[in-house]
Amino acid sequence: MGSLKLLLAAPLLAPAFITPAMAQESSGATDDRSAIREIIVTAQRRAESLQRTPVAIDVLDEDTIRKTAIASEADLQFATPGLTVRAGFSSNQLNYALRGQSLDAFSDTRPGVVPYFNEVQTGGVGGGSTAFYDIQSIQVLKGPQGTLFGRNATGGAVLFTSTKPKEELGGYVKGSLGNYDLKQFDAALNVPIVEDKLLARLAGFFEQRDGYQRNLFQGQRFGKVDGSGNRIGDVDRFGLRGSITFKPSSTFTNELVVDYLHSDGSSLANLISSLEPSGLVPLIALTNFGNETQYNGIINAFTGGLAGCNQTTNNCAAQFAAANPALDPGGIASYLNAQDQRGPFRVEIDGPSYFKGRNVVVSNISELELNDTTRLRGIAGYTYLKNEIAGDIDGTPYPIDDNGNGGKNDTTEQYSFELQLLGEAMSDKLEYVVGAYYAHEKNENETTSRLFQFPPLNQTVIYNKLGTRKQYAAYAQGTYDLSDAVGVEGLGITLGARFTQEDLRFETLAGDTAFNAPPAVQATYDFNQTKSYSNVSWTVGLDYQVNPNLLLYVVSRRSYKNGGYNGIQPPIPGPGSQGGNEYAREALTDAEVGLKFSGSVGSVPARLNLAAYQSWVKEGQRVAYTLIGPNPAALTVNVPRSKITGLEIDGQIKPTSWLSIGGSLNYTDARFTSNLVSIAGGAPVAFETYPDTPEWSGSVFGDVSVPVGQSLLVNFRGDLYAQSDFWFTSTGNRNSGANIDGYALVNLRAGVEDLDAGWSLAGYLKNAFDKRFYVGGIATGELFQFNTVVPGAPRTWMVEARYRF
């Protein structure tokens, strides 16, 4: 408890150091060094200043998004330390992780961090990428979001807001070229159709890029073949977005946004990174077909002697060697050394690698001003996310585990509607929001898994499931000014609660391999499973606006991730701890204290935000890999208790009108505190390593903007991001190789802009020192005797021309 007390005391000690600076600013000392511009956020479902919002938030405005060249989810991590964008079995299977809350690969649990596009939830089982063009802002809300947003989230929310139509004719065009044959183009046109009444904006983008990796394995079935191998990880995508703002009167506004994204290409392959000899399936020996006696013995063991492998007749090892002359006969143990020598961008995989995505998101927000203090809002949303992805799960040329031609296919369709009443009451001392929410989500998944293609072991398993979730919620939250009641000016209290009912239906469809099981086995299955959940989430907080420059707050929240069913296994009733496909509800309660300062230190404009928190998690949802009968399975199980303690600091100073310096630091101590879990009914196993959560992460940036002449502005920016090592398994105590080393990256930008003429030129260098790093992986060591990791991008450069009209 000592470290927690220190963290919680930090915001209370800070005013002692800040007060002199505030006194100087209040004296009225000013010069030509402009203050750090104000940032408006919507974390509490109303527009308010970031520095006066008692919520821990990282915000990227349009200027920062452009200067840091954020073009994908992977880029977002380096601009918002503390948010981990974690890859699973490939670079296109991504998940947000924040404050120890994430989503394990091959689990059908809800995300711990939920993305929204123009207030419509876009995250779910199927996922879906986002196109980072013509974006007004990205807000990363940290901590439980259980009362004000559409779906409960235990870790936070990422809010994407597109640029709204404006009241003047104009827009921009931008084109970029870079290495790996990068070509990017995006543009936007703003048209006021009827002055002050009907405004429209049309934006679009196009991107192509060659993959960073080359697949050297001969006989690869997909892509082009040349002397150095097929490229994989290529990107080919485009998007189109239309926005219409309709204002028929001074009291009514309707904002409609329709967004379409089309993605093609392939994924960066994961690659074998470590061995775990204690794993259940002896793949180290099975792939070592150079040892014929051992190999034949293992094949016979798998088939109960029916293979008839021996040294004189039907020699399985010799036949496999003859059919696969390009394979290293030493197996994965020998191959691992070769892969380490080559590095992460020259790989050998035998399975397919492709990715296709089709996303449609519709957001319609209507607002009616009932009187000077009261507004009625309706938010209607529709999302359609279709992803087709295939990869070589084992990251080797050996036929161990891949998706075959069937791939992993997810189709998610959701309708949602939210009605809000927002306003002020009690002589404007109470700001409140009252609302109701409904969502209907369907996700169909079909996953093909080709396992152990070592004749005669060939096995293909197909999982085909349909999940339907209906959610009904009612909520209310208000902030009341206590100044008069207690005699302390600037003191307020926030209370919020949300009741949610969720009905879940999980159907095993006819394409699922479970229907091929013998009748006696099928009798143990439940092909149509249902559950209902009722939750009350809440928020209680106090905030104290000490003066115009300093805000202190303390808040406690509770949020949930409901239970459900895991699709990557047979539909066996019962919890994962007993071998079933069910998992229970996860609950998180936190306590957070924070400080927000915006003013001057001496005569230097400065901003400082600090938050310290502790979270308590009950029945945390985590994946374990095991065998159910002869079949490998990913079981979602519940770990009884977890605790996360953290400290987040970010700040910025502006010493001169042309220089800004800033940075952030995040400390996270995540651990399981009651950690014994039975996996598939076996003896309890200790979960000891908390996944997807670096203990330290942080960034520093410097931004120099120097006027040249009447309208030219020259800009230089440098960003440094660093993080410590992290685990990508909950049971690293049984799988020591499932760990990724820490790393540091440097990104650079130089540009020139004519503010009057509207043109700009810029050059970008990302990962300037070509650092080798990894962004996630699959911890199958306890099952398959090896782990795999996904590499991050190598050094890339890009030049950009932009014209604003």
Side-chain angles (χ1 to χ4, degrees):
M1 289 296 292
S3 61
L4 175 60
K5 291 178 179 178
L6 178 62
L7 293 180
L8 298 183
L12 305 180
L13 299 175
F17 301 97
I18 294 175
T19 300
M22 292 190 300
Q24 288 187 357
E25 199 209 353
S26 63
S27 67
T30 61
D31 56 24
D32 62 347
R33 290 172 290 189
S34 59
I36 298 170
R37 65 179 179 272
E38 184 180 40
I39 297 175
I40 302 300
V41 298
T42 56
Q44 298 189 112
R45 308 305 290 268
R46 57 179 181 262
E48 56 191 342
S49 170
L50 168 67
Q51 296 307 115
R52 296 200 172 197
T53 304
V55 179
I57 316 172
D58 281 340
V59 181
L60 303 176
D61 60 14
E62 185 178 6
D63 185 62
T64 303
I65 294 170
R66 183 166 60 92
K67 286 184 176 180
T68 54
I70 295 175
S72 68
E73 285 83 357
D75 295 329
L76 189 57
Q77 170 174 326
F78 308 131
T80 54
L83 176 71
T84 299
V85 182
R86 181 225 201 264
F89 72 81
S90 77
S91 59
N92 280 308
Q93 190 194 46
L94 299 174
N95 166 55
Y96 294 120
L98 188 62
R99 291 191 174 183
Q101 301 305 296
S102 61
L103 172 65
D104 289 345
F106 305 119
S107 172
D108 287 298
T109 66
R110 313 310 297 172
V113 182
V114 176
Y116 289 81
F117 179 77
N118 289 353
E119 301 197 49
V120 174
Q121 180 217 334
T122 59
V125 177
S129 59
T130 303
F132 293 71
Y133 70 99
D134 204 36
I135 292 291
Q136 177 178 302
S137 70
I138 303 172
Q139 303 175 53
V140 179
L141 280 56
K142 301 180 178 181
Q145 308 298 320
T147 53
L148 289 180
F149 285 88
R151 180 176 293 280
N152 278 355
T154 53
V158 182
L159 313 182
F160 299 91
T161 303
S162 62
T163 303
K164 296 182 179 181
K166 298 178 174 60
E167 294 187 355
E168 66 272 356
L169 180 66
Y172 74 90
V173 292
K174 182 178 72 174
S176 305
L177 297 173
N179 59 340
Y180 296 96
D181 201 22
L182 171 70
K183 295 181 284 290
Q184 289 180 342
F185 176 82
D186 65 274
L189 175 63
N190 199 87
V191 180
I193 299 174
V194 179
E195 185 178 359
D196 296 331
K197 300 292 185 182
L198 185 61
L199 313 175
R201 187 177 184 89
L202 182 65
F205 92 105
F206 165 80
E207 179 184 14
Q208 281 187 340
R209 194 207 66 221
D210 288 343
Y212 303 137
Q213 286 179 327
R214 288 189 180 273
N215 182 13
L216 307 181
F217 187 63
Q218 298 302 312
Q220 169 72 3
R221 297 177 300 233
F222 295 83
K224 299 178 180 178
V225 178
D226 58 30
S228 56
N230 310 323
R231 281 201 180 273
I232 51 178
D234 53 295
V235 173
D236 185 357
R237 61 181 192 154
F238 66 87
L240 191 64
R241 180 184 304 139
S243 306
I244 295 177
T245 298
F246 180 45
K247 303 178 181 178
S249 71
S250 61
T251 60
F252 180 78
T253 302
N254 189 86
E255 296 176 337
L256 171 67
V257 180
V258 180
D259 185 86
Y260 174 73
L261 175 64
H262 177 111
S263 301
D264 278 309
S266 59
S267 303
L268 290 180
N270 56 343
L271 50 132
I272 187 170
S273 61
S274 63
L275 302 179
E276 182 54 57
S278 64
L280 296 175
V281 182
L283 283 166
I284 296 175
L286 179 59
T287 56
N288 183 11
F289 59 90
N291 185 334
E292 294 189 352
T293 300
Q294 173 184 268
Y295 182 89
N296 292 338
I298 292 175
I299 294 290
N300 268 328
F302 268 105
T303 63
L306 297 179
C309 296
N310 56 62
Q311 297 300 308
T312 58
T313 61
N314 193 23
N315 189 323
C316 295
Q319 292 177 16
F320 186 76
N324 297 274
L327 289 181
D328 183 341
I332 58 175
S334 177
Y335 174 77
L336 174 59
N337 292 327
Q339 181 62 71
D340 285 345
Q341 292 297 316
R342 283 195 302 264
F345 300 112
R346 298 174 70 225
V347 300
E348 294 185 59
I349 62 171
D350 65 315
S353 176
Y354 65 80
F355 174 74
K356 296 180 181 179
R358 310 289 184 269
N359 296 358
V360 178
V361 181
V362 180
S363 169
N364 191 87
I365 302 175
S366 301
E367 182 171 307
L368 176 63
E369 185 178 322
L370 301 177
N371 53 49
D372 290 342
T373 61
T374 311
R375 294 173 294 139
L376 184 66
R377 299 180 82 225
I379 304 168
Y382 171 76
T383 61
Y384 176 83
L385 313 175
K386 185 176 180 63
N387 292 327
E388 303 171 28
I389 186 171
D392 191 79
I393 311 301
D394 54 88
T396 76
Y398 298 91
I400 298 171
D401 188 2
D402 66 60
N403 292 127
N405 293 329
K408 182 181 186 295
N409 307 290
D410 275 289
T411 301
T412 302
E413 188 172 26
Q414 177 180 278
Y415 304 87
S416 64
F417 183 74
E418 185 170 3
L419 188 64
Q420 298 177 338
L421 183 68
L422 306 93
E424 298 176 357
M426 300 181 180
S427 302
D428 298 337
K429 293 185 179 299
L430 174 67
E431 289 186 282
Y432 66 87
V433 54
V434 178
Y437 176 81
Y438 170 77
H440 182 279
E441 177 189 277
K442 291 198 305 183
N443 171 263
E444 182 176 348
N445 170 266
E446 183 177 25
T447 298
T448 300
S449 183
R450 297 195 328 145
L451 296 164
F452 313 138
Q453 304 294 298
F454 301 91
L457 302 183
N458 303 347
Q459 180 183 16
T460 298
V461 180
I462 298 176
Y463 301 103
N464 191 193
K465 308 293 198 304
L466 174 64
T468 303
R469 290 177 183 262
K470 294 181 181 180
Q471 188 176 102
Y472 312 83
Y475 61 91
Q477 182 163 308
T479 299
Y480 184 75
D481 186 351
L482 294 171
S483 301
D484 293 340
V486 299
V488 178
E489 187 66 29
L491 184 66
I493 184 171
T494 297
L495 299 174
R498 182 187 191 98
F499 173 80
T500 303
Q501 169 77 26
E502 185 168 52
D503 300 327
L504 170 62
R505 186 183 189 90
F506 197 73
E507 302 171 70
T508 301
L509 302 181
D512 197 282
T513 301
F515 284 97
N516 297 331
V521 176
Q522 288 194 41
T524 67
Y525 294 164
D526 186 350
F527 294 107
N528 196 338
Q529 299 169 287
T530 60
K531 279 184 179 293
S532 291
Y533 296 90
S534 297
N535 304 316
V536 175
S537 50
W538 47 259
T539 297
V540 178
L542 285 173
D543 58 270
Y544 178 31
Q545 191 71 50
V546 180
N547 57 45
N549 305 105
L550 179 62
L551 171 70
L552 303 177
Y553 69 88
V554 57
V555 63
S556 180
R557 297 160 290 197
R558 175 168 292 173
S559 189
Y560 300 89
K561 287 188 350 183
N562 281 334
Y565 305 94
N566 209 46
I568 310 297
Q569 63 186 93
I572 303 172
S577 59
Q578 300 174 13
N581 71 333
E582 302 175 16
Y583 53 88
R585 174 173 49 198
E586 173 183 319
L588 183 145
T589 307
D590 84 334
E592 177 181 324
V593 293
L595 170 153
K596 294 191 174 187
F597 166 75
S598 181
S600 293
V601 176
S603 59
V604 177
R607 180 170 64 219
L608 174 68
N609 297 323
L610 186 152
Y613 67 90
Q614 184 153 288
S615 302
W616 295 266
V617 183
K618 294 182 179 180
E619 303 297 340
Q621 297 165 352
R622 292 296 174 186
V623 159
Y625 300 101
T626 190
L627 291 174
I628 296 182
N631 297 318
L635 297 179
T636 301
V637 295
N638 293 90
V639 184
R641 296 286 188 277
S642 311
K643 187 181 292 186
I644 304 101
T645 305
L647 177 66
E648 300 162 346
I649 306 172
D650 71 83
Q652 182 181 352
I653 60 172
K654 198 172 178 62
T656 71
S657 61
W658 49 266
L659 175 63
S660 293
I661 301 171
S664 63
L665 180 66
N666 290 264
Y667 168 77
T668 310
D669 178 17
R671 63 273 190 202
F672 297 113
T673 54
S674 177
N675 64 343
L676 293 180
V677 180
S678 175
I679 301 174
V685 171
F687 281 50
E688 292 188 2
T689 54
Y690 208 97
D692 307 335
T693 308
E695 185 175 17
W696 293 97
S697 65
S699 66
V700 177
F701 77 87
D703 190 299
V704 176
S705 293
V706 181
V708 178
Q710 292 296 316
S711 63
L712 285 182
L713 187 67
V714 177
N715 175 258
F716 300 95
R717 182 179 173 111
D719 289 83
L720 168 66
Y721 170 85
Q723 69 173 50
S724 59
D725 67 319
F726 71 94
W727 295 92
F728 53 96
T729 179
S730 302
T731 53
N733 46 303
R734 296 156 53 91
N735 186 6
S736 60
N739 181 270
I740 289 177
D741 292 336
Y743 57 89
L745 303 178
V746 173
N747 297 331
L748 303 172
R749 179 190 189 270
V752 60
E753 179 177 7
D754 190 316
L755 300 177
D756 290 341
W759 61 264
S760 65
L761 297 172
Y764 300 84
L765 187 63
K766 291 188 176 182
N767 191 4
F769 298 103
D770 204 18
K771 177 69 176 180
R772 180 182 300 182
F773 67 104
Y774 300 92
V775 293
I778 299 295
T780 56
E782 294 172 77
L783 178 61
F784 287 159
Q785 297 190 331
F786 62 85
N787 301 299
T788 62
V789 291
V790 178
R795 177 168 53 216
T796 59
W797 60 263
M798 178 180 73
V799 292
E800 170 193 285
R802 188 174 189 267
Y803 177 64
R804 172 177 46 82
F805 59 89

